[in-house]
Amino acid sequence: MKYYTLVALFAFSCYSKAVTTYVPTVKDTSLPTPEQVLGFKVGDWHMRHDQIQRYMEQLSKASPRADLETIGYSHEQRPLLQLVVSSPGNLSKLEQIRQQHVAAARLGETASADAPVIIWLGYSIHGNEPSGANAALLVAQYLAAAENNEVKNWLDNAVIIIQPSMNPDGHDRFANWANMHKGAAPVADPQHREHNEPWPNGRPNHYWFDLNRDWLLLQHPESRARIAQYQQWLPNIVADYHEMGTDSTFFFQPGIPSRNYPLTPKRNFELTRALATFHASALDKAEQLYFTEEIFDDFYIGKGSTYPDIQGSVGILFEQASSRGHLQDSINGPLSFSATIQNQLTASLSTIRGAVAKRAELLSYQQEFYKSALQQAKNSKTRGYIFTESDDTTRLAGLLDVLQRHHVDVFKLSRDWQDGDITYPAEKSFYVPLQQPQFRLIKAMFSTEKNFADNTFYDVSAWTLPYAYNIQFAGVSREPAKSQLSSSWQASATKRAALTPGAYAYAFNWQDQQAPLLLQALLAEKLVLRAAMNNVTATSGESEIALAAGAMVLPAGLQQQPDWFARLQRVKQQFSVPVYAISSGLTASGSDLGSRKFVPVALPTILLLAGPDINSTEAGEAWYNLERLAGITPTLAEPQRLRQLDLSRYSHIVLPDGNYNAWQDKEVSQLKQWAEQGGVLWGHKRGAAWLAKVGLLKAGVWQGEEMTSLIPQHNLSYQDKEMLAGKQRIAGAIYQADLDLSHPLTFGLTHATLPVFKNSTMLLQPSQAPFVNVALYNTSPQLAGYTAPEYVPRISQSAVLLAHNIGKGRVIAMTDNPVFRGYFFGSSRLLVNAMYLGTAFSTSAD
């Protein structure tokens, strides 16, 4: 027995030694190696982020070629690292190089003949795709320590920016999982627990968002830090290192030629193909399998390999087959973690090799990109975009902030401006001229295209930012006069005046995005508030104040806390929402303040279903936005535990998109009894469909199968299979909903239409009962993005939001996800209203 054990251990030690030898390597270096710092060879274990940080710190401290900085922090407060590698001479004048590079690119200034190319190597934005993050250490070590002429030439002619782990929270979630299941010998069986992560797995960040969809949207600190660096540096090459299925090989761009974003210049794809020869040569030499021009596309500009393409860089996606652990069987034989790291190392160095070889072409292309952008803007019939929002300054500021972070110039109207029949009011309207370097990015941000050369998409086909923020906008063919435009928008602090004591009541309107946060903070202080069910004109001092339906009123006579005014004053100072002192309960119009038309508002206690069978991304989006927009952190619980939960603790239960078919009569009865006793039950997408299936929601559902049957499938050949699948799918498009603005669930929304995001074919059928249909799709619903023409008539006959009584409680259902990717701030108000005004209506569905 001892003999066989020794043989096994010897075999394992030989295996470990074999798989952790990388090419190229650096011998006899005076700089620290990963093994010296960490105590194990790269690939023997999955490195945690703190270990990556420790090595980068020691390498940077010891090497004159490397500078490490922390550019931000993740949600879980892990540092976001950026290592800049170049020759000592370049590093000594790094800021000068950066400024000259940006000026040459965007401003057209003459670049010096020896200007370095800027190379960006970004690794493992998906946390459970760890080969890139682990390879980053080997790349950094090689660049810092190698003394051969090729590397010295690279460092003289390039500034190399390494972001070793762009999602450290997800990275550590996966690393801990893989390490905790590593045995004395690696288990290659795909069914082994190591290769099957639990929900939500390591791909997303702390809130379960896909950070590789957030480059444009900028909803997370990881993305904001990353884009700040991108805009400061304007790299010529952005290499984006990922992993894919275990049974695949290695992919590098170009992707599918017909699925490139239309505004990306052809020269970009020519350079991508030219650089591909360097990757192919390196992988040929290593005898590694690879492929190009399949599966992946360059359409959605909010991901890492496409965001750069619309700004003069060349973005390149790399996808390595994943071992999802230390060793896993595949159709190509056993795939080791170290083999995946080796390929990422190989492709990293081939990226540098190609970029340095093409340095002059890349620098010239970037200059020409911005020069041609200005020329195209000059020739464009659309001169720019103008948008306005009078009632929700916070939501407006959110859009303006995103534009600013992408270095888009935005100007405020200092005087009213007329365009056709529309008047844009001063101070509340903003103009984005197309005549600026970010011409192509702006066109993409405001795009409302509905059809493309190839209507099959890897990701969404629409992302129009003003629609997401529910901001009215228009492209204009003439510009406001320069005298009507004030300087480029900058965020500014709002002055917060102290409240006048001794008022009969205090009130604030509900339109601003901060209003729910103010309400939550007041309720948390045990203050008593009422919500207005209709428009009211109240007296404040010597003036009249218009309070729209949904306005929150804090009557002095109902307060139970002896220091209630001090609490109100303290909380009010945290928010920019105006709070008015009301001097009388008798109103000039609308209900008096003592009317039953002012309904009680309670602090919500929310249960959010989150766990196996639930769409983790959409559960995370609901979690994140309930915190950001409603001010409430929900309780998270797996659907499998519902029977063990004491539901009486909760006022609201949220069912995000997921598969609820495992729930039986027991769970249905439990939810029904809870709701009938006064609970508010919310479901969207498959959560809504399940509520309808079990009869808790009185509505019909058009399922995906019924939708796909609308598309003809006869006379097709096998080669049409992918085309048909693309047509049957709604990859992601924006639609218009018509709202019942008199319904409490729409309070705070001031326009009768609302853009909503749709990425599934499931539809709720409108109710025949009166007052149940809170929002319906418009008769011409398609605003932006591709939808098969056969689907549009059915969508126009469907419901967006339904709500009705269930005993003393309420059930609310939405066809779509109201908080898609965290940036659909317009439709998110429907979810927020359900939390605070979910019992403010009464409607029978029978």
Side-chain angles (χ1 to χ4, degrees):
M1 184 68 177
K2 183 184 294 185
Y3 170 77
Y4 291 112
T5 302
L6 290 173
V7 169
L9 290 174
F10 176 74
F12 176 60
S13 66
C14 292
Y15 165 82
S16 297
K17 184 176 181 180
V19 298
T20 52
T21 300
Y22 297 99
V23 178
T25 187
V26 180
K27 297 181 179 179
D28 302 324
T29 176
S30 60
L31 297 178
T33 68
E35 185 176 5
Q36 289 170 341
V37 173
L38 304 178
F40 59 88
K41 293 182 180 179
V42 174
D44 285 358
W45 295 89
H46 284 255
M47 269 180 283
R48 301 186 311 271
H49 185 264
D50 64 290
Q51 294 171 318
I52 295 173
Q53 178 184 359
R54 179 154 37 110
Y55 178 69
M56 292 297 189
E57 287 173 344
Q58 294 197 23
L59 181 67
S60 174
K61 184 177 180 180
S63 171
R65 299 177 180 178
D67 281 345
L68 180 68
E69 63 177 317
T70 297
I71 61 172
Y73 290 87
S74 71
H75 280 295
E76 296 177 12
Q77 296 305 298
R78 290 181 175 87
L80 303 170
L81 306 175
Q82 179 168 286
L83 185 76
V84 179
V85 183
S86 192
S87 67
N90 285 339
L91 289 182
S92 69
K93 54 180 181 179
L94 194 62
E95 179 58 18
Q96 178 185 341
I97 289 173
R98 187 194 69 77
Q99 290 182 10
Q100 290 176 345
H101 173 78
V102 173
R106 280 202 176 141
L107 303 180
E109 294 185 9
T110 302
S112 61
D114 61 350
V117 63
I118 311 300
I119 303 169
W120 176 298
L121 305 179
Y123 298 99
S124 299
I125 198 167
H126 295 142
N128 63 354
E129 300 177 3
S131 57
N134 283 260
L137 275 70
L138 299 175
V139 174
Q141 180 203 6
Y142 183 68
L143 294 176
E147 293 294 341
N148 60 67
N149 290 333
E150 182 181 46
V151 170
K152 290 179 179 180
N153 180 55
W154 292 351
L155 300 180
D156 286 339
N157 288 281
V159 172
I160 302 164
I161 299 169
I162 298 174
Q163 293 197 352
S165 177
M166 296 194 288
N167 176 11
D169 296 348
H171 174 90
D172 274 11
R173 191 182 312 130
F174 177 74
N176 290 330
W177 175 262
N179 288 336
M180 71 183 286
H181 293 99
K182 179 183 178 182
V187 178
D189 181 358
Q191 299 180 97
H192 179 47
R193 197 161 186 254
E194 178 183 6
H195 309 306
N196 295 276
E197 298 170 80
W199 190 100
N201 75 45
R203 178 183 176 90
N205 75 341
H206 171 79
Y207 282 101
W208 313 331
F209 277 67
D210 184 339
L211 290 178
N212 199 42
R213 303 297 183 268
D214 198 42
W215 288 67
L216 178 69
L217 313 179
L218 301 185
Q219 298 306 303
H220 295 274
E222 299 94 333
S223 306
R224 291 191 287 269
R226 182 172 65 253
I227 294 307
Q229 291 299 312
Y230 177 90
Q231 293 297 341
Q232 284 187 38
W233 274 103
L234 292 185
N236 300 100
I237 293 287
V238 173
D240 188 22
Y241 295 91
H242 290 258
E243 291 183 7
M244 54 184 167
T246 305
D247 286 333
S248 194
T249 57
F250 192 86
F251 168 86
F252 53 87
Q253 287 179 316
I256 298 174
S258 62
R259 299 180 193 168
N260 296 319
Y261 192 64
L263 291 174
T264 304
K266 291 183 179 179
R267 180 58 176 155
N268 176 287
F269 307 120
E270 293 172 357
L271 288 167
T272 300
R273 284 192 291 272
L275 291 166
T277 63
F278 290 86
H279 313 314
S281 176
L283 292 167
D284 285 344
K285 185 177 180 181
E287 299 182 344
Q288 294 297 304
L289 296 175
Y290 57 87
F291 66 98
T292 63
E293 298 189 327
E294 294 180 26
I295 307 177
F296 304 100
D297 65 34
D298 254 338
F299 189 86
Y300 172 50
I301 67 164
K303 61 184 181 182
S305 61
T306 310
Y307 177 83
D309 291 340
I310 208 73
Q311 297 182 86
S313 305
V314 177
I316 302 177
L317 172 67
F318 297 91
E319 294 273 355
Q320 163 63 47
S322 180
S323 63
R324 284 292 191 274
H326 293 87
L327 182 72
Q328 187 172 172
D329 288 334
S330 76
I331 61 172
N332 299 309
L335 178 62
S336 68
F337 183 36
S338 57
T340 69
I341 295 170
Q342 175 65 71
N343 278 348
Q344 301 283 34
L345 169 61
T346 299
S348 298
L349 300 184
S350 66
T351 298
I352 299 170
R353 182 176 294 113
V356 171
K358 300 290 181 180
R359 178 182 65 89
E361 294 175 60
L362 290 166
L363 291 169
S364 174
Y365 164 70
Q366 192 173 52
Q367 277 197 313
E368 179 57 32
F369 177 93
Y370 286 107
K371 182 179 179 181
S372 65
L374 294 174
Q375 185 60 48
Q376 288 184 34
K378 185 177 180 180
N379 297 334
S380 174
K381 292 181 180 180
T382 300
R383 307 307 300 162
Y385 298 95
I386 193 163
F387 52 88
T388 186
E389 172 58 47
S390 299
D391 298 304
D392 189 346
T393 58
T394 301
R395 180 160 40 86
L396 176 62
L399 174 59
L400 292 167
D401 179 68
V402 168
L403 294 174
Q404 182 191 56
R405 289 178 185 274
H406 290 295
H407 286 218
V408 171
D409 291 330
V410 185
F411 299 91
K412 182 190 292 185
L413 287 182
S414 57
R415 299 201 306 269
D416 290 357
W417 187 70
Q418 188 85 18
D419 186 58
D421 297 332
I422 303 176
T423 298
Y424 292 94
E427 304 301 322
K428 298 177 181 179
S429 303
F430 293 83
Y431 179 62
V432 179
L434 281 174
Q435 189 67 38
Q436 59 176 298
Q438 291 290 52
F439 164 79
R440 291 186 179 91
L441 180 62
I442 296 167
K443 290 280 287 184
M445 288 172 161
F446 287 80
S447 173
T448 57
E449 292 295 325
K450 300 173 185 175
N451 279 287
F452 308 91
D454 186 333
N455 286 315
T456 303
F457 302 94
Y458 179 75
D459 200 80
V460 300
S461 62
W463 49 83
T464 318
L465 290 184
Y467 283 152
Y469 284 82
N470 192 23
I471 302 291
Q472 293 188 320
F473 77 103
V476 293
S477 57
R478 65 186 186 90
E479 294 187 291
K482 289 185 178 180
S483 62
Q484 291 179 282
L485 300 176
S486 62
S487 59
S488 184
W489 176 84
Q490 297 289 331
S492 58
T494 302
K495 295 181 180 180
R496 298 177 173 92
L499 288 174
T500 303
Y504 177 85
Y506 297 87
F508 57 93
N509 271 308
W510 191 241
Q511 293 94 334
D512 195 275
Q513 196 177 82
Q514 284 194 34
L517 299 174
L518 172 58
L519 173 63
Q520 186 276 338
L522 294 172
L523 292 172
E525 289 285 349
K526 303 186 185 318
L527 300 183
V528 180
L529 290 100
R530 298 285 187 263
M533 291 295 101
N534 53 28
N535 296 340
V536 172
T537 301
T539 302
S540 177
E542 297 181 357
S543 62
E544 302 292 329
I545 298 296
L547 299 175
M552 296 295 162
V553 178
L554 188 151
L558 293 181
Q559 303 311 310
Q560 304 298 314
Q561 304 300 318
D563 61 341
W564 67 268
F565 182 76
R567 297 186 185 202
L568 169 62
Q569 184 82 279
R570 182 174 63 252
V571 170
K572 188 263 181 190
Q573 293 302 315
Q574 301 172 27
F575 301 92
S576 59
V577 178
V579 177
Y580 305 103
I582 308 300
S583 55
S584 174
L586 186 67
T587 62
S589 66
S591 301
D592 295 328
L593 298 194
S595 166
R596 295 179 69 178
K597 292 292 185 179
F598 287 85
V599 302
V601 182
L603 188 68
T605 51
I606 305 169
L607 171 65
L608 172 64
L609 275 301
D613 295 332
I614 303 298
N615 183 325
S616 62
T617 299
E618 297 205 6
E621 289 163 356
W623 171 23
Y624 190 43
N625 282 281
L626 286 170
E627 289 190 340
R628 284 200 302 172
L629 305 180
I632 295 290
T633 297
T635 295
L636 308 176
E638 301 86 350
Q640 294 79 7
R641 290 202 295 128
L642 187 70
R643 293 189 185 191
Q644 288 77 48
L645 300 180
D646 175 9
L647 298 187
S648 67
R649 298 176 63 94
Y650 310 111
S651 62
H652 293 69
I653 297 178
V654 176
L655 277 61
D657 182 56
N659 184 346
Y660 296 90
N661 291 330
W663 278 352
Q664 303 298 317
D665 291 345
K666 172 69 174 176
E667 285 85 359
V668 176
S669 176
Q670 185 184 9
L671 287 172
K672 184 172 185 287
Q673 182 180 12
W674 169 84
E676 288 178 339
Q677 292 173 353
V680 177
L681 187 56
W682 168 287
H684 60 259
K685 294 182 72 173
R686 287 181 293 165
W690 182 84
L691 291 173
K693 175 184 175 182
V694 300
L696 296 175
L697 173 71
K698 305 301 182 183
V701 177
W702 284 308
Q703 295 285 4
E705 296 82 2
E706 298 168 78
M707 292 288 285
T708 55
S709 68
L710 299 174
I711 297 178
Q713 300 182 33
H714 53 275
N715 298 325
L716 297 177
S717 60
Y718 187 77
Q719 68 181 0
D720 299 322
K721 185 178 180 181
E722 188 174 8
M723 177 275 296
L724 176 63
K727 195 171 184 180
Q728 289 176 333
R729 175 181 176 230
I730 298 179
I734 301 173
Y735 300 82
Q736 184 155 275
D738 292 335
L739 304 178
D740 176 359
L741 288 179
S742 69
H743 198 288
L745 291 178
T746 69
F747 285 174
L749 296 167
T750 55
H751 304 295
T753 58
L754 175 70
V756 295
F757 192 91
K758 187 168 191 61
N759 60 355
S760 82
T761 53
M762 188 278 288
L763 292 165
L764 292 173
Q765 298 175 16
S767 174
Q768 299 304 308
F771 320 125
V772 173
N773 298 317
V774 181
L776 300 172
Y777 287 102
N778 188 272
T779 54
S780 300
Q782 191 177 6
L783 290 175
Y786 174 73
T787 300
E790 294 86 347
Y791 285 167
V792 176
R794 177 62 56 84
I795 293 172
S796 69
Q797 301 164 7
S798 304
V800 174
L801 188 71
L802 303 172
H804 61 73
N805 295 6
I806 178 171
K808 296 179 181 179
R810 308 291 187 269
V811 59
I812 306 170
M814 187 168 177
T815 296
D816 305 305
N817 177 7
V819 290
F820 177 73
R821 288 186 179 166
Y823 85 116
F824 253 73
F825 287 108
S827 56
S828 67
R829 176 50 72 96
L830 299 173
L831 178 63
V832 172
N833 280 353
M835 300 302 108
Y836 289 107
L837 300 171
T839 57
F841 66 93
S842 180
T843 303
S844 172
D846 297 326

